[in-house]
Amino acid sequence: MGSYNVLEPILKDILGMLNPLREDWETRMKVISDLREVVESVESLRVLMIVDKSIEFPVIYLSQRSFATKVDFGTRSVGATVEPFGSFVSNLFSRWGDLDISIELSNGSCISSAGKKVKQSLLGDLLRALRQKGGYRRLQFVAHARVPILKFETIHQNISCDISIDNLCGQIKSKFLFWISQIDGRFRDMVLLVKEWAKAHDINNPKTGTFNSYSLSLLVLFHFQTCVPAILPPLKDIYPGNLVDDLKGVRANAERQIAEICAFNIARFSSDKYRKINRSSLAHLFVSFLEKFSGLSLKASELGICPFTGQWEHIRSNTRWLPNNHPLFIEDPFEQPENSARAVSEKNLAKISNAFEMTHFRLTSTNQTRYALLSSLARPFILQFFGESPVRYANYNNGHRRARPQSHKSVNSPLQAQHQSHNAKKENRPNRSMSQQSVQQHQSQPVRQINGQVQQIWRPKSDGSQQPSPANLEAEI
């Protein structure tokens, strides 16, 4: 279709604006480092305990990767750790993405979670410490949410942050989505494009009854499972259990076992020589994504979306989903039978369905101008970067304006830094394996072209240490 040839470069241009630059990486690392200092000042989070001396912790892991708040190798003691998760770790964040952080409490080597009242008390202590230090605004303590959260925005970097306590499940989900993105690079591209499209149509805000970003990622995952031929397998073929139920016992062992199972099954899927390969362009995948969910409001009353099985499932015949009082059901494949789309309201489901339908209509209509296509896919301030608006170039983060950076070098997430050679060639390269070789770091510096301008893609330099296998990727966050 001729429209795909027109749409493809537009999608690539939008991706070029969404992909994080080096300064976006460094800014978030600075926010995490600053938060570590604040956590160190909170007495209730400075409770130390003796660590098993048989466990060896690399210095880089504690001091830079997991951001331990207290390290003393003489006494082998550690305090609470500040650990990022979410899109920053899964490499599904854009330049203007939020930062999710979990404060993990020390409890030896075993997995445990503090009670809700304890979490509320600790976050309250942290809130007072943040106010005392300064440099943060819009502090909001959501104490009575399903998961208590402390929200704030950094004044100097304009980064919005959500802090929770003992959110190990969120960390594992983030790593899992990163591993999925290594099967096929188009998954990450589609997630970034879909999230930007959803923001442009005001349907990416759970506070107002629409999608959260996690459910949008699951929709893209489901689309890749159900397109023909399928790009991604049902998640039960990667991890056959309910992931959240297996987070028990010694943390290192539980995470290692999960990673090893996933690595083995992903490698088996990717190396299947009899599997049909889907070579669809981003434009084709994006249009078919819109078409698939255009009738969502009509299907949602009877069918639920199940990435675990990779199928539409009848709600009434699926006992683990009953009773269901939600207008839309997108099962969380890692925390079954939780509904990741529980925030979507009946009223907004119609709005969501209409956004799918109208965008699909516009993208498949003839004689559409470049501006018309861009305005259907991205927010107004993104259009300014393409010279589609008389307003001067500017960067925005949650409505705040800042000067556009001079650097045009992009950067990857913590896990992505371990996969340099594959990311350097990721565009339009389907079905990439997560084998042992896929996690070796390379120093190539690829370039890409956006609007006729060559951009150097920044890659973090290796520290010279041995790179891990997929089985112990959990030790690299």
Side-chain angles (χ1 to χ4, degrees):
M1 181 185 292
S3 59
Y4 292 155
N5 295 330
V6 176
L7 180 60
E8 185 75 12
I10 292 177
L11 293 176
K12 293 292 183 65
D13 284 351
I14 294 175
L15 272 176
M17 299 311 304
L18 297 176
N19 278 321
L21 305 183
R22 176 172 184 170
E23 71 160 24
D24 301 311
W25 163 275
E26 294 174 342
T27 294
R28 284 161 177 77
M29 297 297 287
K30 179 65 165 57
V31 170
I32 295 171
S33 178
D34 290 345
L35 182 60
R36 178 184 63 177
E37 295 181 2
V38 177
V39 169
E40 285 179 336
S41 70
V42 179
E43 183 66 27
S44 57
L45 291 172
R46 234 179 19 238
V47 179
L48 303 183
M49 49 80 56
I50 301 300
V51 178
D52 185 349
K53 293 186 178 181
S54 65
I55 301 176
E56 296 181 357
F57 293 91
V59 174
I60 190 171
Y61 171 54
L62 285 174
S63 63
Q64 297 178 14
R65 301 255 183 207
S66 69
F67 305 97
T69 64
K70 182 76 173 179
V71 181
D72 183 349
F73 284 91
T75 59
R76 308 294 296 179
S77 59
V78 298
T81 57
V82 177
E83 303 185 19
F85 69 101
S87 60
F88 181 63
V89 170
S90 61
N91 197 31
L92 300 177
F93 79 108
S94 71
R95 295 191 56 202
W96 300 276
D98 297 343
L99 185 59
D100 296 303
I101 295 173
S102 174
I103 297 179
E104 295 295 313
L105 306 180
S106 296
N107 188 40
S109 57
C110 293
I111 296 173
S112 67
S113 181
K116 189 170 184 178
K117 289 185 178 181
V118 173
K119 293 179 180 180
Q120 291 171 337
S121 176
L122 293 175
L123 289 176
D125 292 343
L126 181 59
L127 172 61
R128 287 185 286 273
L130 290 171
R131 285 175 173 166
Q132 182 176 0
K133 180 179 181 181
Y136 305 96
R137 62 188 171 200
R138 296 179 178 168
L139 289 98
Q140 180 185 7
F141 184 18
V142 189
H144 300 290
R146 178 171 169 266
V147 176
I149 293 177
L150 177 59
K151 296 174 173 286
F152 63 84
E153 183 178 295
T154 60
I155 292 178
H156 300 295
Q157 301 95 346
N158 293 331
I159 300 295
S160 294
C161 301
D162 289 354
I163 301 180
S164 53
I165 302 287
D166 281 344
N167 200 338
L168 179 59
C169 184
Q171 295 180 54
I172 298 298
K173 290 179 185 180
S174 305
K175 296 177 186 180
F176 204 112
L177 288 177
F178 173 80
W179 298 334
I180 290 294
S181 72
Q182 297 308 296
I183 299 177
D184 194 297
R186 291 172 295 178
F187 173 70
R188 175 184 180 272
D189 293 342
M190 274 288 292
V191 169
L192 291 182
L193 290 169
V194 166
K195 289 199 293 188
E196 176 58 33
W197 164 80
K199 288 180 173 65
H201 291 268
D202 195 25
I203 57 171
N204 184 199
N205 188 351
K207 294 180 182 178
T208 60
T210 57
F211 289 122
N212 57 39
S213 294
Y214 180 57
S215 59
L216 287 171
S217 299
L218 293 182
L219 277 185
V220 175
L221 173 60
F222 186 75
H223 178 50
F224 275 43
Q225 292 171 331
T226 53
C227 58
V228 180
I231 299 174
L232 297 176
L235 292 193
K236 65 182 179 63
D237 292 349
I238 296 179
Y239 193 81
N242 193 15
L243 188 146
V244 69
D245 293 337
D246 295 331
L247 289 176
K248 55 188 177 182
V250 178
R251 174 175 174 175
N253 293 343
E255 292 192 64
R256 183 181 300 110
Q257 182 178 18
I258 290 171
E260 288 175 349
I261 292 173
C262 292
F264 176 82
N265 288 324
I266 287 174
R268 181 175 60 178
F269 171 81
S270 300
S271 61
D272 182 4
K273 62 182 180 180
Y274 298 107
R275 178 170 57 90
K276 294 183 178 180
I277 304 300
N278 186 316
R279 303 188 184 279
S280 298
S281 65
L282 272 179
H284 186 277
L285 289 171
F286 195 88
V287 171
S288 59
F289 172 83
L290 296 172
E291 182 181 16
K292 180 172 296 180
F293 298 112
S294 289
L296 192 59
S297 60
L298 299 177
K299 293 180 179 179
S301 62
E302 296 183 359
L303 299 174
I305 294 170
C306 186
F308 185 71
T309 62
Q311 296 177 337
W312 296 91
E313 300 276 357
H314 287 277
I315 295 176
R316 293 182 180 178
S317 62
N318 199 325
T319 57
R320 71 178 187 273
W321 291 353
L322 298 176
N324 174 43
N325 300 318
H326 301 289
L328 177 64
F329 203 101
I330 304 176
E331 185 179 55
D332 187 335
F334 313 115
E335 196 172 358
Q336 305 162 44
E338 291 295 327
N339 180 12
S340 67
R342 57 184 173 273
V344 175
S345 66
E346 187 75 42
K347 175 183 177 181
N348 283 302
L349 180 57
K351 176 183 178 180
I352 290 170
S353 190
N354 182 66
F356 279 105
E357 294 171 7
M358 291 304 298
T359 308
H360 180 262
F361 173 77
R362 289 170 184 167
L363 296 188
T364 55
S365 298
T366 57
N367 301 323
Q368 290 287 320
T369 65
R370 173 180 169 85
Y371 178 82
L373 293 174
L374 279 170
S375 62
S376 296
L377 299 169
R379 289 167 287 179
F381 83 87
I382 294 290
L383 304 187
Q384 298 174 20
F385 296 135
F386 298 102
E388 301 291 347
S389 169
V391 180
R392 294 179 62 186
Y393 279 167
N395 280 348
Y396 289 78
N397 184 48
N398 295 327
H400 297 282
R401 182 168 177 163
R402 56 180 176 171
R404 188 180 187 184
Q406 298 300 314
S407 174
H408 293 276
K409 300 179 182 180
S410 64
V411 67
N412 296 310
S413 74
L415 279 176
Q416 190 71 15
Q418 309 300 328
H419 299 259
Q420 299 300 321
S421 62
H422 291 270
N423 291 334
K425 302 176 182 179
K426 68 183 293 186
E427 289 190 357
N428 294 328
R429 181 178 178 181
N431 307 295
R432 296 153 60 207
S433 171
M434 189 184 175
S435 61
Q436 294 292 326
Q437 294 179 349
S438 72
V439 295
Q440 294 181 353
Q441 188 177 40
H442 293 262
Q443 298 301 316
S444 60
Q445 296 288 332
V447 297
R448 65 183 176 199
Q449 194 167 0
I450 304 295
N451 275 351
Q453 297 181 350
V454 174
Q455 293 186 323
Q456 187 83 18
I457 299 180
W458 184 80
R459 303 296 189 198
K461 292 183 178 180
S462 171
D463 60 3
S465 59
Q466 185 177 359
Q467 301 303 322
S469 68
N472 55 26
L473 277 174
E474 73 278 358
E476 297 303 313
I477 298 299

mmCIF file with all atom_site columns, all heavy atoms in Angstrom, residues 38-57:
data_model
loop_
_atom_site.group_PDB
_atom_site.id
_atom_site.type_symbol
_atom_site.label_atom_id
_atom_site.label_alt_id
_atom_site.label_comp_id
_atom_site.label_asym_id
_atom_site.label_entity_id
_atom_site.label_seq_id
_atom_site.pdbx_PDB_ins_code
_atom_site.Cartn_x
_atom_site.Cartn_y
_atom_site.Cartn_z
_atom_site.occupancy
_atom_site.B_iso_or_equiv
_atom_site.pdbx_formal_charge
_atom_site.auth_seq_id
_atom_site.auth_comp_id
_atom_site.auth_asym_id
_atom_site.auth_atom_id
_atom_site.pdbx_PDB_model_num
ATOM 1   N N   . VAL A 1 38 ? 19.225 11.252  50.001 1.00 0.00 ? 38 VAL A N   1
ATOM 2   C CA  . VAL A 1 38 ? 18.095 11.566  50.860 1.00 0.00 ? 38 VAL A CA  1
ATOM 3   C C   . VAL A 1 38 ? 17.715 10.354  51.700 1.00 0.00 ? 38 VAL A C   1
ATOM 4   O O   . VAL A 1 38 ? 17.453 10.456  52.906 1.00 0.00 ? 38 VAL A O   1
ATOM 5   C CB  . VAL A 1 38 ? 16.881 12.044  50.033 1.00 0.00 ? 38 VAL A CB  1
ATOM 6   C CG1 . VAL A 1 38 ? 15.681 12.309  50.939 1.00 0.00 ? 38 VAL A CG1 1
ATOM 7   C CG2 . VAL A 1 38 ? 17.225 13.304  49.253 1.00 0.00 ? 38 VAL A CG2 1
ATOM 8   N N   . VAL A 1 39 ? 17.697 9.179   51.070 1.00 0.00 ? 39 VAL A N   1
ATOM 9   C CA  . VAL A 1 39 ? 17.346 7.950   51.782 1.00 0.00 ? 39 VAL A CA  1
ATOM 10  C C   . VAL A 1 39 ? 18.340 7.690   52.903 1.00 0.00 ? 39 VAL A C   1
ATOM 11  O O   . VAL A 1 39 ? 17.980 7.231   53.996 1.00 0.00 ? 39 VAL A O   1
ATOM 12  C CB  . VAL A 1 39 ? 17.268 6.759   50.806 1.00 0.00 ? 39 VAL A CB  1
ATOM 13  C CG1 . VAL A 1 39 ? 17.165 5.440   51.552 1.00 0.00 ? 39 VAL A CG1 1
ATOM 14  C CG2 . VAL A 1 39 ? 16.086 6.922   49.857 1.00 0.00 ? 39 VAL A CG2 1
ATOM 15  N N   . GLU A 1 40 ? 19.608 8.001   52.658 1.00 0.00 ? 40 GLU A N   1
ATOM 16  C CA  . GLU A 1 40 ? 20.628 7.810   53.688 1.00 0.00 ? 40 GLU A CA  1
ATOM 17  C C   . GLU A 1 40 ? 20.359 8.662   54.925 1.00 0.00 ? 40 GLU A C   1
ATOM 18  O O   . GLU A 1 40 ? 20.755 8.312   56.034 1.00 0.00 ? 40 GLU A O   1
ATOM 19  C CB  . GLU A 1 40 ? 22.011 8.165   53.130 1.00 0.00 ? 40 GLU A CB  1
ATOM 20  C CG  . GLU A 1 40 ? 22.592 7.127   52.184 1.00 0.00 ? 40 GLU A CG  1
ATOM 21  C CD  . GLU A 1 40 ? 23.951 7.553   51.660 1.00 0.00 ? 40 GLU A CD  1
ATOM 22  O OE1 . GLU A 1 40 ? 24.229 8.772   51.649 1.00 0.00 ? 40 GLU A OE1 1
ATOM 23  O OE2 . GLU A 1 40 ? 24.725 6.680   51.266 1.00 0.00 ? 40 GLU A OE2 1
ATOM 24  N N   . SER A 1 41 ? 19.666 9.776   54.724 1.00 0.00 ? 41 SER A N   1
ATOM 25  C CA  . SER A 1 41 ? 19.412 10.686  55.841 1.00 0.00 ? 41 SER A CA  1
ATOM 26  C C   . SER A 1 41 ? 18.191 10.284  56.665 1.00 0.00 ? 41 SER A C   1
ATOM 27  O O   . SER A 1 41 ? 17.946 10.863  57.731 1.00 0.00 ? 41 SER A O   1
ATOM 28  C CB  . SER A 1 41 ? 19.211 12.116  55.309 1.00 0.00 ? 41 SER A CB  1
ATOM 29  O OG  . SER A 1 41 ? 17.979 12.234  54.602 1.00 0.00 ? 41 SER A OG  1
ATOM 30  N N   . VAL A 1 42 ? 17.427 9.299   56.181 1.00 0.00 ? 42 VAL A N   1
ATOM 31  C CA  . VAL A 1 42 ? 16.208 8.874   56.883 1.00 0.00 ? 42 VAL A CA  1
ATOM 32  C C   . VAL A 1 42 ? 16.567 7.735   57.838 1.00 0.00 ? 42 VAL A C   1
ATOM 33  O O   . VAL A 1 42 ? 16.950 6.643   57.407 1.00 0.00 ? 42 VAL A O   1
ATOM 34  C CB  . VAL A 1 42 ? 15.120 8.421   55.882 1.00 0.00 ? 42 VAL A CB  1
ATOM 35  C CG1 . VAL A 1 42 ? 13.869 7.965   56.637 1.00 0.00 ? 42 VAL A CG1 1
ATOM 36  C CG2 . VAL A 1 42 ? 14.780 9.565   54.925 1.00 0.00 ? 42 VAL A CG2 1
ATOM 37  N N   . GLU A 1 43 ? 16.443 7.999   59.119 1.00 0.00 ? 43 GLU A N   1
ATOM 38  C CA  . GLU A 1 43 ? 16.850 7.030   60.129 1.00 0.00 ? 43 GLU A CA  1
ATOM 39  C C   . GLU A 1 43 ? 16.129 5.696   59.977 1.00 0.00 ? 43 GLU A C   1
ATOM 40  O O   . GLU A 1 43 ? 16.726 4.622   60.105 1.00 0.00 ? 43 GLU A O   1
ATOM 41  C CB  . GLU A 1 43 ? 16.598 7.603   61.531 1.00 0.00 ? 43 GLU A CB  1
ATOM 42  C CG  . GLU A 1 43 ? 17.054 6.690   62.663 1.00 0.00 ? 43 GLU A CG  1
ATOM 43  C CD  . GLU A 1 43 ? 18.561 6.504   62.705 1.00 0.00 ? 43 GLU A CD  1
ATOM 44  O OE1 . GLU A 1 43 ? 19.279 7.422   62.245 1.00 0.00 ? 43 GLU A OE1 1
ATOM 45  O OE2 . GLU A 1 43 ? 19.012 5.447   63.179 1.00 0.00 ? 43 GLU A OE2 1
ATOM 46  N N   . SER A 1 44 ? 14.823 5.739   59.681 1.00 0.00 ? 44 SER A N   1
ATOM 47  C CA  . SER A 1 44 ? 14.037 4.509   59.581 1.00 0.00 ? 44 SER A CA  1
ATOM 48  C C   . SER A 1 44 ? 14.445 3.650   58.393 1.00 0.00 ? 44 SER A C   1
ATOM 49  O O   . SER A 1 44 ? 14.141 2.455   58.346 1.00 0.00 ? 44 SER A O   1
ATOM 50  C CB  . SER A 1 44 ? 12.544 4.840   59.489 1.00 0.00 ? 44 SER A CB  1
ATOM 51  O OG  . SER A 1 44 ? 12.283 5.694   58.380 1.00 0.00 ? 44 SER A OG  1
ATOM 52  N N   . LEU A 1 45 ? 15.135 4.236   57.413 1.00 0.00 ? 45 LEU A N   1
ATOM 53  C CA  . LEU A 1 45 ? 15.596 3.487   56.246 1.00 0.00 ? 45 LEU A CA  1
ATOM 54  C C   . LEU A 1 45 ? 17.067 3.107   56.351 1.00 0.00 ? 45 LEU A C   1
ATOM 55  O O   . LEU A 1 45 ? 17.624 2.533   55.429 1.00 0.00 ? 45 LEU A O   1
ATOM 56  C CB  . LEU A 1 45 ? 15.369 4.311   54.970 1.00 0.00 ? 45 LEU A CB  1
ATOM 57  C CG  . LEU A 1 45 ? 13.914 4.526   54.560 1.00 0.00 ? 45 LEU A CG  1
ATOM 58  C CD1 . LEU A 1 45 ? 13.825 5.523   53.410 1.00 0.00 ? 45 LEU A CD1 1
ATOM 59  C CD2 . LEU A 1 45 ? 13.268 3.206   54.168 1.00 0.00 ? 45 LEU A CD2 1
ATOM 60  N N   . ARG A 1 46 ? 17.677 3.429   57.493 1.00 0.00 ? 46 ARG A N   1
ATOM 61  C CA  . ARG A 1 46 ? 19.089 3.176   57.664 1.00 0.00 ? 46 ARG A CA  1
ATOM 62  C C   . ARG A 1 46 ? 19.345 1.987   58.570 1.00 0.00 ? 46 ARG A C   1
ATOM 63  O O   . ARG A 1 46 ? 20.435 1.824   59.129 1.00 0.00 ? 46 ARG A O   1
ATOM 64  C CB  . ARG A 1 46 ? 19.769 4.415   58.247 1.00 0.00 ? 46 ARG A CB  1
ATOM 65  C CG  . ARG A 1 46 ? 20.944 4.869   57.403 1.00 0.00 ? 46 ARG A CG  1
ATOM 66  C CD  . ARG A 1 46 ? 21.673 6.087   57.876 1.00 0.00 ? 46 ARG A CD  1
ATOM 67  N NE  . ARG A 1 46 ? 21.491 6.469   59.254 1.00 0.00 ? 46 ARG A NE  1
ATOM 68  C CZ  . ARG A 1 46 ? 21.018 7.656   59.626 1.00 0.00 ? 46 ARG A CZ  1
ATOM 69  N NH1 . ARG A 1 46 ? 20.619 8.523   58.713 1.00 0.00 ? 46 ARG A NH1 1
ATOM 70  N NH2 . ARG A 1 46 ? 20.905 7.968   60.911 1.00 0.00 ? 46 ARG A NH2 1
ATOM 71  N N   . VAL A 1 47 ? 18.331 1.149   58.737 1.00 0.00 ? 47 VAL A N   1
ATOM 72  C CA  . VAL A 1 47 ? 18.479 -0.037  59.584 1.00 0.00 ? 47 VAL A CA  1
ATOM 73  C C   . VAL A 1 47 ? 19.399 -1.018  58.874 1.00 0.00 ? 47 VAL A C   1
ATOM 74  O O   . VAL A 1 47 ? 19.130 -1.433  57.756 1.00 0.00 ? 47 VAL A O   1
ATOM 75  C CB  . VAL A 1 47 ? 17.117 -0.688  59.861 1.00 0.00 ? 47 VAL A CB  1
ATOM 76  C CG1 . VAL A 1 47 ? 17.282 -1.929  60.710 1.00 0.00 ? 47 VAL A CG1 1
ATOM 77  C CG2 . VAL A 1 47 ? 16.200 0.315   60.553 1.00 0.00 ? 47 VAL A CG2 1
ATOM 78  N N   . LEU A 1 48 ? 20.474 -1.397  59.543 1.00 0.00 ? 48 LEU A N   1
ATOM 79  C CA  . LEU A 1 48 ? 21.449 -2.291  58.917 1.00 0.00 ? 48 LEU A CA  1
ATOM 80  C C   . LEU A 1 48 ? 21.270 -3.704  59.419 1.00 0.00 ? 48 LEU A C   1
ATOM 81  O O   . LEU A 1 48 ? 20.732 -3.962  60.482 1.00 0.00 ? 48 LEU A O   1
ATOM 82  C CB  . LEU A 1 48 ? 22.869 -1.817  59.227 1.00 0.00 ? 48 LEU A CB  1
ATOM 83  C CG  . LEU A 1 48 ? 23.196 -0.379  58.798 1.00 0.00 ? 48 LEU A CG  1
ATOM 84  C CD1 . LEU A 1 48 ? 24.655 -0.084  59.101 1.00 0.00 ? 48 LEU A CD1 1
ATOM 85  C CD2 . LEU A 1 48 ? 22.889 -0.189  57.338 1.00 0.00 ? 48 LEU A CD2 1
ATOM 86  N N   . MET A 1 49 ? 21.749 -4.635  58.633 1.00 0.00 ? 49 MET A N   1
ATOM 87  C CA  . MET A 1 49 ? 21.706 -6.042  59.037 1.00 0.00 ? 49 MET A CA  1
ATOM 88  C C   . MET A 1 49 ? 22.927 -6.742  58.459 1.00 0.00 ? 49 MET A C   1
ATOM 89  O O   . MET A 1 49 ? 23.555 -6.266  57.537 1.00 0.00 ? 49 MET A O   1
ATOM 90  C CB  . MET A 1 49 ? 20.407 -6.707  58.574 1.00 0.00 ? 49 MET A CB  1
ATOM 91  C CG  . MET A 1 49 ? 20.029 -6.494  57.124 1.00 0.00 ? 49 MET A CG  1
ATOM 92  S SD  . MET A 1 49 ? 20.897 -7.556  55.986 1.00 0.00 ? 49 MET A SD  1
ATOM 93  C CE  . MET A 1 49 ? 20.482 -9.129  56.651 1.00 0.00 ? 49 MET A CE  1
ATOM 94  N N   . ILE A 1 50 ? 23.268 -7.889  59.063 1.00 0.00 ? 50 ILE A N   1
ATOM 95  C CA  . ILE A 1 50 ? 24.446 -8.631  58.636 1.00 0.00 ? 50 ILE A CA  1
ATOM 96  C C   . ILE A 1 50 ? 24.116 -9.489  57.425 1.00 0.00 ? 50 ILE A C   1
ATOM 97  O O   . ILE A 1 50 ? 23.128 -10.220 57.405 1.00 0.00 ? 50 ILE A O   1
ATOM 98  C CB  . ILE A 1 50 ? 24.980 -9.512  59.764 1.00 0.00 ? 50 ILE A CB  1
ATOM 99  C CG1 . ILE A 1 50 ? 25.325 -8.627  60.969 1.00 0.00 ? 50 ILE A CG1 1
ATOM 100 C CG2 . ILE A 1 50 ? 26.208 -10.291 59.331 1.00 0.00 ? 50 ILE A CG2 1
ATOM 101 C CD1 . ILE A 1 50 ? 26.374 -7.569  60.681 1.00 0.00 ? 50 ILE A CD1 1
ATOM 102 N N   . VAL A 1 51 ? 24.953 -9.394  56.412 1.00 0.00 ? 51 VAL A N   1
ATOM 103 C CA  . VAL A 1 51 ? 24.764 -10.155 55.183 1.00 0.00 ? 51 VAL A CA  1
ATOM 104 C C   . VAL A 1 51 ? 25.586 -11.427 55.233 1.00 0.00 ? 51 VAL A C   1
ATOM 105 O O   . VAL A 1 51 ? 26.675 -11.449 55.801 1.00 0.00 ? 51 VAL A O   1
ATOM 106 C CB  . VAL A 1 51 ? 25.174 -9.303  53.962 1.00 0.00 ? 51 VAL A CB  1
ATOM 107 C CG1 . VAL A 1 51 ? 25.036 -10.090 52.670 1.00 0.00 ? 51 VAL A CG1 1
ATOM 108 C CG2 . VAL A 1 51 ? 24.335 -8.045  53.894 1.00 0.00 ? 51 VAL A CG2 1
ATOM 109 N N   . ASP A 1 52 ? 25.072 -12.490 54.663 1.00 0.00 ? 52 ASP A N   1
ATOM 110 C CA  . ASP A 1 52 ? 25.790 -13.763 54.597 1.00 0.00 ? 52 ASP A CA  1
ATOM 111 C C   . ASP A 1 52 ? 27.164 -13.539 53.965 1.00 0.00 ? 52 ASP A C   1
ATOM 112 O O   . ASP A 1 52 ? 27.266 -13.076 52.830 1.00 0.00 ? 52 ASP A O   1
ATOM 113 C CB  . ASP A 1 52 ? 24.972 -14.751 53.753 1.00 0.00 ? 52 ASP A CB  1
ATOM 114 C CG  . ASP A 1 52 ? 25.596 -16.138 53.741 1.00 0.00 ? 52 ASP A CG  1
ATOM 115 O OD1 . ASP A 1 52 ? 26.748 -16.281 54.195 1.00 0.00 ? 52 ASP A OD1 1
ATOM 116 O OD2 . ASP A 1 52 ? 24.916 -17.057 53.270 1.00 0.00 ? 52 ASP A OD2 1
ATOM 117 N N   . LYS A 1 53 ? 28.230 -13.866 54.679 1.00 0.00 ? 53 LYS A N   1
ATOM 118 C CA  . LYS A 1 53 ? 29.576 -13.604 54.191 1.00 0.00 ? 53 LYS A CA  1
ATOM 119 C C   . LYS A 1 53 ? 29.942 -14.467 52.989 1.00 0.00 ? 53 LYS A C   1
ATOM 120 O O   . LYS A 1 53 ? 30.927 -14.205 52.314 1.00 0.00 ? 53 LYS A O   1
ATOM 121 C CB  . LYS A 1 53 ? 30.595 -13.817 55.309 1.00 0.00 ? 53 LYS A CB  1
ATOM 122 C CG  . LYS A 1 53 ? 30.468 -12.787 56.432 1.00 0.00 ? 53 LYS A CG  1
ATOM 123 C CD  . LYS A 1 53 ? 31.577 -12.947 57.450 1.00 0.00 ? 53 LYS A CD  1
ATOM 124 C CE  . LYS A 1 53 ? 31.469 -11.890 58.542 1.00 0.00 ? 53 LYS A CE  1
ATOM 125 N NZ  . LYS A 1 53 ? 32.555 -12.014 59.531 1.00 0.00 ? 53 LYS A NZ  1
ATOM 126 N N   . SER A 1 54 ? 29.169 -15.503 52.741 1.00 0.00 ? 54 SER A N   1
ATOM 127 C CA  . SER A 1 54 ? 29.464 -16.356 51.588 1.00 0.00 ? 54 SER A CA  1
ATOM 128 C C   . SER A 1 54 ? 29.006 -15.711 50.288 1.00 0.00 ? 54 SER A C   1
ATOM 129 O O   . SER A 1 54 ? 29.360 -16.156 49.208 1.00 0.00 ? 54 SER A O   1
ATOM 130 C CB  . SER A 1 54 ? 28.770 -17.714 51.740 1.00 0.00 ? 54 SER A CB  1
ATOM 131 O OG  . SER A 1 54 ? 27.352 -17.559 51.707 1.00 0.00 ? 54 SER A OG  1
ATOM 132 N N   . ILE A 1 55 ? 28.209 -14.643 50.391 1.00 0.00 ? 55 ILE A N   1
ATOM 133 C CA  . ILE A 1 55 ? 27.714 -13.966 49.194 1.00 0.00 ? 55 ILE A CA  1
ATOM 134 C C   . ILE A 1 55 ? 28.649 -12.821 48.861 1.00 0.00 ? 55 ILE A C   1
ATOM 135 O O   . ILE A 1 55 ? 28.923 -11.966 49.692 1.00 0.00 ? 55 ILE A O   1
ATOM 136 C CB  . ILE A 1 55 ? 26.286 -13.427 49.408 1.00 0.00 ? 55 ILE A CB  1
ATOM 137 C CG1 . ILE A 1 55 ? 25.344 -14.582 49.763 1.00 0.00 ? 55 ILE A CG1 1
ATOM 138 C CG2 . ILE A 1 55 ? 25.788 -12.706 48.180 1.00 0.00 ? 55 ILE A CG2 1
ATOM 139 C CD1 . ILE A 1 55 ? 23.933 -14.129 50.076 1.00 0.00 ? 55 ILE A CD1 1
ATOM 140 N N   . GLU A 1 56 ? 29.157 -12.808 47.654 1.00 0.00 ? 56 GLU A N   1
ATOM 141 C CA  . GLU A 1 56 ? 30.072 -11.764 47.230 1.00 0.00 ? 56 GLU A CA  1
ATOM 142 C C   . GLU A 1 56 ? 29.318 -10.730 46.417 1.00 0.00 ? 56 GLU A C   1
ATOM 143 O O   . GLU A 1 56 ? 28.599 -11.063 45.480 1.00 0.00 ? 56 GLU A O   1
ATOM 144 C CB  . GLU A 1 56 ? 31.214 -12.345 46.402 1.00 0.00 ? 56 GLU A CB  1
ATOM 145 C CG  . GLU A 1 56 ? 32.094 -13.304 47.197 1.00 0.00 ? 56 GLU A CG  1
ATOM 146 C CD  . GLU A 1 56 ? 33.239 -13.837 46.363 1.00 0.00 ? 56 GLU A CD  1
ATOM 147 O OE1 . GLU A 1 56 ? 33.285 -13.500 45.169 1.00 0.00 ? 56 GLU A OE1 1
ATOM 148 O OE2 . GLU A 1 56 ? 34.063 -14.576 46.908 1.00 0.00 ? 56 GLU A OE2 1
ATOM 149 N N   . PHE A 1 57 ? 29.495 -9.460  46.767 1.00 0.00 ? 57 PHE A N   1
ATOM 150 C CA  . PHE A 1 57 ? 28.843 -8.382  46.052 1.00 0.00 ? 57 PHE A CA  1
ATOM 151 C C   . PHE A 1 57 ? 29.886 -7.558  45.311 1.00 0.00 ? 57 PHE A C   1
ATOM 152 O O   . PHE A 1 57 ? 30.738 -6.946  45.941 1.00 0.00 ? 57 PHE A O   1
ATOM 153 C CB  . PHE A 1 57 ? 28.090 -7.458  47.027 1.00 0.00 ? 57 PHE A CB  1
ATOM 154 C CG  . PHE A 1 57 ? 26.916 -8.111  47.682 1.00 0.00 ? 57 PHE A CG  1
ATOM 155 C CD1 . PHE A 1 57 ? 27.054 -8.764  48.890 1.00 0.00 ? 57 PHE A CD1 1
ATOM 156 C CD2 . PHE A 1 57 ? 25.671 -8.063  47.090 1.00 0.00 ? 57 PHE A CD2 1
ATOM 157 C CE1 . PHE A 1 57 ? 25.972 -9.357  49.509 1.00 0.00 ? 57 PHE A CE1 1
ATOM 158 C CE2 . PHE A 1 57 ? 24.586 -8.652  47.694 1.00 0.00 ? 57 PHE A CE2 1
ATOM 159 C CZ  . PHE A 1 57 ? 24.733 -9.306  48.905 1.00 0.00 ? 57 PHE A CZ  1
#
